Amino acid sequence: MAAKDTAQRKLALKTGIGKTRLALLLHSNPAKRIPMTLREFQTILSALDISIIQAIIQVETFHGMELLQEERYATLIAMLCEVFRGLPRKVIDALEELEGIDGSEVRKNWAEPLQKAVVKRLITEVLAIIDRRERFAQREDLTV
């Protein structure tokens, strides 16, 4: 709310959640908070222009760290959210194309090696982009 410069009163108007209920949902003292429904959570996030995927990834990624509010990670988180938003469907479609693999073979312990492979590929792609930019800049310097 602070990052979006949205006070509780304004958020109550945007969400349609009553001011009193919203105040109890978002109380600064966790012991005084009341349980929030999934619909309320989604409505609040939507009013703040935050996707539920983005909220979950930020909480899971930066849990217990001071990095959550650092602006330099905002675009990274946004990009990763876009990757993850479409990823499950693309994996399902890929499995559908493979004869004899129906998804029952998939194991939870594949997550770590797949994460490592994605990070390795991401680094490779970022380095290739940096290299292309440097070569382009050098060509522009030569033409000037």
Side-chain angles (χ1 to χ4, degrees):
M1 288 171 52
K4 302 283 184 177
D5 195 30
T6 304
Q8 279 190 14
R9 178 171 288 185
K10 185 176 178 183
L11 188 59
L13 290 171
K14 288 175 95 174
T15 61
I17 299 171
K19 290 184 289 184
T20 304
R21 178 157 180 80
L22 189 62
L24 291 170
L25 290 170
L26 303 175
H27 202 286
S28 59
N29 181 346
K32 293 184 179 180
R33 284 186 202 142
I34 61 172
M36 183 182 305
T37 67
L38 180 57
R39 169 94 48 220
E40 288 169 329
F41 182 58
Q42 290 172 318
T43 301
I44 291 168
L45 289 175
S46 178
L48 294 171
D49 204 25
I50 300 170
S51 76
I52 194 164
I53 293 172
Q54 182 179 353
I56 292 167
I57 288 175
Q58 283 187 276
V59 168
E60 290 296 319
T61 302
F62 299 119
H63 181 71
M65 298 172 68
E66 294 298 319
L67 300 174
L68 180 58
Q69 300 302 325
E70 286 198 30
E71 188 61 34
R72 64 187 172 141
Y73 295 114
T75 53
L76 173 65
I77 294 297
M79 182 272 299
L80 290 172
C81 289
E82 287 303 311
V83 169
F84 292 126
R85 181 169 306 169
L87 189 61
R89 182 64 201 192
K90 288 182 180 184
V91 170
I92 289 168
D93 290 345
L95 286 175
E96 289 291 324
E97 290 181 19
L98 296 174
E99 302 266 342
I101 295 184
D102 63 5
S104 62
E105 297 86 0
V106 176
R107 301 288 179 258
K108 188 176 179 178
N109 64 351
W110 292 5
E112 189 174 341
L114 289 173
Q115 285 173 342
K116 288 179 182 178
V118 168
V119 169
K120 184 177 180 178
R121 178 62 187 252
L122 180 68
I123 290 169
T124 300
E125 292 299 322
V126 167
L127 291 174
I129 290 168
I130 290 170
D131 183 53
R132 283 193 302 271
R133 286 181 181 168
E134 287 175 353
R135 283 186 280 133
F136 182 74
Q138 288 173 354
R139 274 189 257 143
E140 280 195 350
D141 288 344
L142 293 175
T143 60
V144 174

